[in-house]
Amino acid sequence: MAATLSKIEQAKAELCGLELAPRLGDLAAQGWDKLDEATLTIRLKWLGIFFRPVTPGRFMVRLRLPNGVITANQLEVLADAVDRCGEHGSADITTRQNLQLRGLLLEDMAPLMEAMQAVGLTSQQSGHDNPRNITGNPLAGIDPEEIVDTRPLVEAIQQRLLAADAPRNLPRKFNIAVGGAPDSFLLHNDLAFLPADHNGELGFTVMVGGFFSAQRNELAIPLGLWLRADQLANYSLATLRHFERCGNRQARNKSRLMYLVDELGLEGYREAVLEELVALGGEAVPHSGQHHVNRSPRSGLGVQPQKQEGLNWVGLGVPVGRLDAASMAELAAVARRHGSGELRFTEAQNVLIVNVPAEGVEALLAEPLLQRFQPEPGALMAEAVSCTGNRYCSFALIPTKTTAQAVVEELERRLELPHAVRSHWTGCPNACGQPYMGEIGLMGAKARHEGQMVEAVKIFLGGDMGADPKLAELHDKGVPLVLLPDVLEELLVEHFGARRRAAA
Amino acid sequence: METTVISALLELSDSTDRWQHLQLLRRGRLPAQPWLEQIEQGEICATADVLAALLGQLNRAGVERLLRGPVGRDPAALLEAARRELPSMASALEVQQAWVEPLLAQPPTAPWLELIGLFRDPRGAARLRMALEAADPADPAQANAQRLLPLLGRQRQPQDAALLLELALAPVPLAWRRAALEGLAVGLSAWPLQPLADGLQQLSLDLDPGLAAQAVDLLARLPDGQRQLRQLQGKTLAPSVVDRWRRRLQRAPLVLVVHGRQAGVIPEVLQQLAADLEQSRSAPVLVQALTATSPEADERFWWAARRAGAISLVPLLLLPGDHARSDVPAIARHWRQRAAAAMLGDVVVRRRPFLGAWPQWQHLLADLLAERAGDRPLAWLHHPLQGALSARYLSHLAAVLGHPGVATAYSDPQAALAAQPQPPAVLAPLTLAPNRLSESLNMGGCSATAEVLPPLLTLPTVHRFLLAQLEALP
């Protein structure tokens, strides 16, 4: 039987990466290039530690931040870790409301894990074939439009899924999210719980099968089940147990949940998971799939009143989600100085400082950090989302983040836009930057230009995360990067109401 | 037939299709042999992305064939592919078996040295060492050789620490020095400790702040890094490096024990001192009033305590009264219990002597009073104290300060002053922060007949002194 397993499946079956945790110090002493390939590139990801072939010897750590919530104390610990890496250190806010730290040595891992544990952080199972960071409404608990506070639900799901008896060898990665507001667009997740009524009671309808990949892109579809809030953790566990047992382990490019749904049929899949749920003592009822999510996500930027009288959140645009040690430490200090010391990360890779008393807003807005992370960034920068790019990822065909930032800045110099335009930049067809969700999607490519093969992008248009969601479609299959500002300028004028600024 | 298929795949107008086919090749889902043949025959162009997909799929014979063909004659694309792809697979036995011997058979020149350096192999290490020893960093034509330094570090051969340190410290182009230091970084735990620590200490003082900063960061990672960092105290570091050095020192959180006002309110000057200290030490600072309950210690405080292995309790008390003799030990016991309850097994609570006992403090006070009084008679005022120990302290302090002390009730200093044989022209209440004594002196008419000095911590000299002294605590 074992002989039929792929290399990856063999590596996972032989040893669970979590068992490496107590040996991190020893592994560092041996040197990273003494580690076998499976440990280096697969098993360490169970601890959230990523070998980066593009920066050999300098590792990445991906956290788990349920619902994107982080405290100033926690952020300070992470800033300290990045700071130790000097010019090699940086951090990215991810599209899963999460944070990943770059530039770390293997020697840093044992003390970092200990420091994170001391402040209630973990990076457990944040990579590879695991349930990834669980997302929720970034405004949970403070949102005047909130339907339900997603924080305790997301926390409960994480606790259940990281418990010792939960699956640790899924066939593939698995994304889960919980919606809590009318703008909780979550259909790109394998499993999404959207707020919905059943017989006048508020609970969640279950959506399954959303994912993006190089082969196929799908939005999640209604499974036809409704759950009470207290059932979400059990249901997630039931789903993962079934996926662990029945998911496709032969072809990794056909192993996301939607393929299993296809294989069993929606009804067959529903019955199978229900059986698993009942075995866990849980319950669900049939449902139409109607839910309360009906519009595109708000950016959350700027000064906004919370539902708590006299308190505000202040959303700051972080250009393409990139942070350095100094800005992380300063964000923590600002959150502590002007708010309650809590921050939130959004799926658009921005940050919110919450619980800012009305009388403290002015002082916060005067902080020097806000010159860099602006509460009211330009209409393009506000919602420019980007994957890592080829500086750190060997799949990427272009330097996504730096390209996105440079092009967006150039376009904002040239154009005035009547409203924000969401652009999603990704370096390769794996689509980590979710190009199909953007009003404009851009995917790294190669194209011929003046007789040379050059870095380029494909352009997708029309992604919609509103009441009638749809994926962006291919508009142009290869625009060389050197021509991109001009091409996008035309598009923005033609399709998005942009006006050219008068020449200086 | 195959020729047509592969060439067509690579020339597809949609670059996503090309990318996907190369991913299939990289994952072993397409046979490598036809690709190799067509590269040999010049039918497909061996670009870096094609070679990156092929690298892990070849056996030794395949690699030898590849290197005999156009790829071997111009290895630039191979090098680009290898830099991106090989590091994650270089530890796989089959990849080593395929590549190491054929690469060792190549001449020991730049691209081949870098390629062999991507594998961890003693023979490869020896080649890198030899090449670097013979290289002349001053010759711009040899600038590419600096790329070999991090690769030499990754070989983790202890004898190479000397060469890497020598180059990191040498007056050679900065790019060489940085590459050598990165070589030390990526092999850090392999190097002999003492020469490494000495070299890094020296580099911490370097005029290039980038180099010095990385050296400080690496010192902090050594097994006795904190001791090594403390040895930099007082050395001339670049300002940006000083900040970094401070951040790397794992300083214990401080608990400043002070006299509070009514209901345990902490005077503002003490709060400001704590805030300034917290910033300069990069470690939490709590202020605890003697008469109030212990302040809340958050997770950051406990994390810092665990990291430093200690909590420092500093009584900012000026006299050895009951507070210093009884209350402070009780407060220390309480913090030990809290540390135990927080399951910080190895954390010790270090109780520092009360501030009034510090010789530097006494000298500062003497200088300060001398400066303020000039030739005028001065008296320093303090709360009455009981017992022989207190009496000895007061007599000692009077000798150091060169002025008599006057014990007085805080609410009515006039009575004690009236009993003085010679009325003082300058009155110095012995208190750090505003309290009932300082307020009584100003409100009770004393200020009409004598100059009343403000509470000591409101004087910039005292604030600076305490900041410096407390910042220097481990």
Side-chain angles (χ1 to χ4, degrees):
Chain A
M1 179 66 185
T4 65
L5 294 178
S6 68
K7 256 166 76 171
I8 292 175
E9 289 297 330
Q10 274 181 47
K12 293 192 297 176
E14 278 167 21
L15 177 72
C16 174
L18 293 177
E19 293 178 32
L20 297 172
R23 294 172 46 206
L24 273 178
D26 294 340
L27 297 182
Q30 276 175 42
W32 63 268
D33 38 10
K34 272 288 182 206
L35 302 180
D36 62 83
E37 188 186 1
T39 296
L40 190 64
T41 61
I42 299 173
R43 295 188 188 113
L44 280 176
K45 290 180 181 168
W46 264 248
L47 303 176
I49 299 171
F50 291 64
F51 174 73
R52 301 283 78 188
V54 185
T55 57
R58 296 279 181 182
F59 288 73
M60 181 183 96
V61 167
R62 183 184 292 152
L63 278 289
R64 292 192 81 95
L65 300 176
N67 215 118
V69 179
I70 188 166
T71 66
N73 289 350
Q74 292 171 332
L75 188 57
E76 223 165 41
V77 168
L78 302 178
D80 182 66
V82 172
D83 188 39
R84 282 161 197 276
C85 304
E87 62 190 16
H88 300 277
S90 67
D92 291 331
I93 304 172
T94 76
T95 54
R96 297 201 65 77
Q97 300 179 284
N98 201 356
L99 204 56
Q100 44 198 34
L101 319 179
R102 298 182 184 282
L104 298 150
L105 298 176
L106 198 53
E107 281 87 349
D108 296 333
M109 296 307 167
L112 174 60
M113 297 293 150
E114 193 185 336
M116 292 198 319
Q117 192 183 16
V119 293
L121 284 171
T122 181
S123 57
Q124 185 184 329
Q125 291 172 266
S126 58
H128 219 281
D129 296 344
N130 280 298
R132 303 296 183 85
N133 192 47
I134 302 163
T135 61
N137 177 12
L139 304 170
I142 61 172
D143 187 356
E145 299 183 47
E146 181 168 77
I147 300 166
V148 59
D149 184 348
T150 54
R151 290 172 302 174
L153 306 173
V154 168
E155 188 64 52
I157 296 171
Q158 170 160 309
Q159 279 188 19
R160 193 66 198 90
L161 297 188
L162 298 192
D165 63 343
R168 288 180 170 177
N169 183 2
L170 298 178
R172 200 71 168 84
K173 72 174 174 181
F174 201 93
N175 290 333
I176 303 176
V178 183
D183 64 342
S184 292
F185 178 86
L186 300 171
L187 300 183
H188 50 300
N189 286 275
D190 295 283
L191 175 60
F193 300 109
L194 300 186
D197 294 328
H198 172 67
N199 290 341
E201 187 181 355
L202 180 63
F204 293 86
T205 197
V206 180
M207 312 290 289
V208 294
F211 77 110
F212 301 143
S213 75
Q215 290 77 32
R216 182 178 173 188
N217 302 294
E218 296 288 349
L219 292 176
I221 56 174
L223 183 58
L225 288 179
W226 180 91
L227 302 164
R228 287 195 178 85
D230 63 5
Q231 295 294 309
L232 300 194
N234 258 346
Y235 185 85
S236 301
L237 180 63
T239 301
L240 256 59
R241 284 190 171 169
H242 178 257
F243 185 53
E244 181 184 43
R245 208 174 54 247
C246 303
N248 182 352
R249 291 180 189 268
Q250 269 68 52
R252 288 183 66 76
N253 59 355
K254 291 186 177 167
S255 55
R256 294 293 290 268
L257 182 67
M258 188 58 108
Y259 289 101
L260 182 57
V261 175
D262 286 347
E263 184 192 330
L264 300 179
L266 193 61
E267 224 167 278
Y269 174 72
R270 182 170 59 226
E271 292 312 311
V273 177
L274 269 177
E275 203 173 300
E276 198 80 50
L277 178 66
V278 169
L280 287 168
E283 55 176 357
V285 297
H287 190 254
S288 68
Q290 290 289 312
H291 53 74
H292 294 302
V293 176
N294 53 22
R295 57 188 169 88
S296 299
R298 291 160 284 175
S299 76
L301 297 179
V303 180
Q304 314 250 8
Q306 294 183 191
K307 68 179 180 184
Q308 295 85 359
E309 184 77 26
L311 292 179
N312 300 273
W313 81 79
V314 180
L316 305 178
V318 178
V320 292
R322 177 137 297 164
L323 300 167
D324 56 26
S327 59
M328 291 163 77
E330 194 49 27
L331 272 174
V334 165
R336 203 179 278 130
R337 224 163 16 239
H338 302 288
S340 58
E342 183 182 312
L343 305 98
R344 312 277 180 93
F345 294 130
T346 72
E347 287 187 297
Q349 301 175 321
N350 291 319
V351 64
L352 315 178
I353 292 171
V354 304
N355 300 323
V356 181
E359 60 274 19
V361 167
E362 202 177 327
L364 194 163
L365 294 178
E367 288 282 357
L369 181 71
L370 273 65
Q371 299 296 315
R372 186 170 164 199
F373 299 158
Q374 297 175 4
E376 289 175 6
L380 287 169
M381 191 60 87
E383 303 196 37
V385 173
S386 171
C387 78
T388 296
N390 64 5
R391 182 174 167 200
Y392 294 112
C393 172
S394 58
F395 290 113
L397 295 164
I398 60 168
T400 325
K401 277 195 193 287
T402 49
T403 304
Q405 189 163 356
V407 171
V408 164
E409 282 172 359
E410 173 61 22
L411 289 168
E412 289 193 335
R413 271 192 291 274
R414 295 185 192 183
L415 299 172
E416 283 177 83
L417 279 136
H419 49 75
V421 175
R422 194 176 175 100
S423 63
H424 279 249
W425 299 69
T426 200
C428 78
N430 282 335
C432 300
Q434 305 166 333
Y436 309 105
M437 283 165 58
E439 290 170 275
I440 301 177
L442 302 108
M443 178 188 287
K446 298 283 182 199
R448 285 209 176 275
H449 179 62
E450 296 176 348
Q452 299 288 315
M453 194 68 105
V454 296
E455 290 178 335
V457 289
K458 290 180 168 192
I459 297 180
F460 297 81
L461 289 182
D464 189 340
M465 294 190 270
D468 185 17
K470 64 175 181 181
L471 298 176
E473 291 178 0
L474 185 63
H475 170 77
D476 193 321
K477 66 184 181 185
V479 177
L481 292 189
V482 289
L483 303 180
L484 188 56
D486 294 342
V487 171
L488 286 178
E489 180 181 340
E490 285 299 323
L491 273 179
L492 287 162
V493 169
E494 278 178 31
H495 296 273
F496 296 93
R499 289 192 320 168
R500 292 190 171 87
R501 292 181 199 276
Chain B
M1 183 64 187
E2 290 286 358
T3 303
T4 312
V5 172
I6 294 175
S7 302
L9 292 178
L10 294 181
E11 286 305 320
L12 282 170
S13 58
D14 187 331
S15 63
T16 297
D17 292 335
R18 175 189 171 97
W19 183 90
Q20 285 185 335
H21 281 292
L22 291 178
Q23 295 304 319
L24 290 176
L25 175 62
R26 182 202 298 255
R27 289 172 186 155
R29 298 221 191 93
L30 295 177
Q33 207 61 15
W35 294 73
L36 186 57
E37 281 166 13
Q38 289 173 50
I39 288 172
E40 276 181 322
Q41 291 156 19
E43 287 164 357
I44 55 175
C45 183
T47 52
D49 59 345
V50 172
L51 290 171
L54 200 55
L55 282 175
Q57 305 305 322
L58 298 176
N59 58 19
R60 180 169 167 178
V63 171
E64 285 168 346
R65 277 179 63 186
L66 185 76
L67 299 186
R68 276 198 300 272
V71 172
R73 289 192 289 279
D74 177 8
L78 177 63
L79 187 59
E80 187 186 336
R83 280 178 188 156
R84 294 183 74 80
E85 203 66 21
L86 263 187
S88 58
M89 57 175 75
S91 60
L93 192 59
E94 61 273 23
V95 178
Q96 287 177 6
Q97 285 170 344
W99 282 92
V100 171
E101 295 299 336
L103 287 175
L104 284 169
Q106 301 298 322
T109 52
W112 301 112
L113 282 170
E114 189 174 338
L115 282 162
I116 193 65
L118 292 169
F119 293 91
R120 192 165 158 190
D121 182 280
R123 293 166 298 170
R127 285 201 175 185
L128 295 178
R129 192 178 307 126
M130 205 182 304
L132 283 164
E133 282 168 350
D136 177 7
D139 177 5
Q142 299 187 46
N144 272 344
Q146 74 192 244
R147 283 183 167 279
L148 303 182
L149 288 163
L151 297 176
L152 183 67
R154 277 164 53 184
Q155 302 295 324
R156 303 171 82 86
Q157 303 284 322
Q159 72 264 38
D160 292 325
L163 177 62
L164 291 169
L165 276 168
E166 185 190 323
L167 281 168
L169 288 161
V172 297
L174 191 57
W176 278 78
R177 303 182 66 203
R178 289 192 171 185
L181 190 54
E182 182 61 8
L184 288 169
V186 295
L188 194 66
S189 53
W191 317 126
L193 203 53
Q194 200 50 52
L196 176 64
D198 293 346
L200 291 176
Q201 282 213 2
Q202 207 177 326
L203 273 169
S204 303
L205 310 178
D206 200 89
L207 291 176
D208 178 72
L211 211 58
Q214 192 178 356
V216 166
D217 288 335
L218 292 177
L219 265 184
R221 288 179 170 105
L222 300 186
D224 64 345
Q226 287 299 304
R227 189 175 64 82
Q228 301 288 347
L229 285 175
R230 281 197 292 275
Q231 287 175 1
L232 292 175
Q233 178 107 34
K235 302 270 176 68
T236 311
L237 302 174
S240 63
V241 182
V242 172
D243 289 344
R244 184 165 287 274
W245 169 73
R246 283 192 181 131
R247 294 201 297 273
R248 292 295 82 82
L249 279 172
Q250 293 173 356
R251 291 183 152 145
L254 294 186
V255 180
L256 306 179
V257 181
V258 302
H259 283 284
R261 304 296 309 262
Q262 208 165 16
V265 172
I266 309 286
E268 201 177 323
V269 284
L270 287 163
Q271 288 185 41
Q272 187 58 50
L273 175 71
D276 292 347
L277 254 182
E278 187 156 298
Q279 179 139 13
S280 64
R281 285 176 60 89
S282 298
V285 177
L286 295 178
V287 186
Q288 176 162 6
L290 281 162
T291 49
T293 53
S294 296
E296 278 301 314
D298 62 12
E299 57 194 5
R300 180 169 156 267
F301 180 95
W302 293 119
W303 172 63
R306 187 198 296 255
R307 201 173 70 148
I311 296 167
S312 279
L313 196 71
V314 187
L316 294 184
L317 308 177
L318 303 185
L319 295 167
D322 282 350
H323 288 318
R325 293 196 312 241
S326 310
D327 294 346
V328 171
I331 288 171
R333 276 198 299 280
H334 180 65
W335 277 100
R336 286 191 187 101
Q337 286 162 1
R338 288 178 76 176
M343 291 186 287
L344 305 178
D346 298 330
V347 170
V348 295
V349 175
R350 290 198 197 107
R351 180 155 61 94
R352 304 280 165 188
F354 72 100
L355 176 60
W358 298 8
Q360 307 97 307
W361 167 256
Q362 295 167 7
H363 293 308
L364 173 84
L365 208 50
D367 292 345
L368 194 72
L369 298 188
E371 186 195 331
R372 298 302 286 255
D375 296 334
R376 296 177 293 170
L378 175 147
W380 45 277
L381 309 182
H382 63 88
H383 198 277
L385 297 176
Q386 305 291 324
L389 173 73
S390 299
R392 276 204 305 280
Y393 174 81
L394 290 171
S395 142
H396 163 76
L397 189 62
V400 172
L401 300 183
H403 295 283
V406 176
T408 172
Y410 277 13
S411 53
D412 183 17
Q414 296 282 13
L417 290 169
Q420 295 300 304
Q422 185 190 4
V426 183
L427 297 174
L430 205 57
T431 172
L432 282 177
N435 65 4
R436 273 188 303 140
L437 175 60
S438 65
E439 287 162 1
S440 306
L441 284 168
N442 282 308
M443 291 167 62
C446 295
S447 55
T449 55
E451 183 189 355
V452 178
L453 298 189
L456 294 164
L457 193 50
T458 63
L459 302 172
T461 321
V462 174
H463 186 91
R464 277 198 300 273
F465 168 84
L466 281 179
L467 205 53
Q469 294 290 320
L470 296 173
E471 193 206 321
L473 290 177

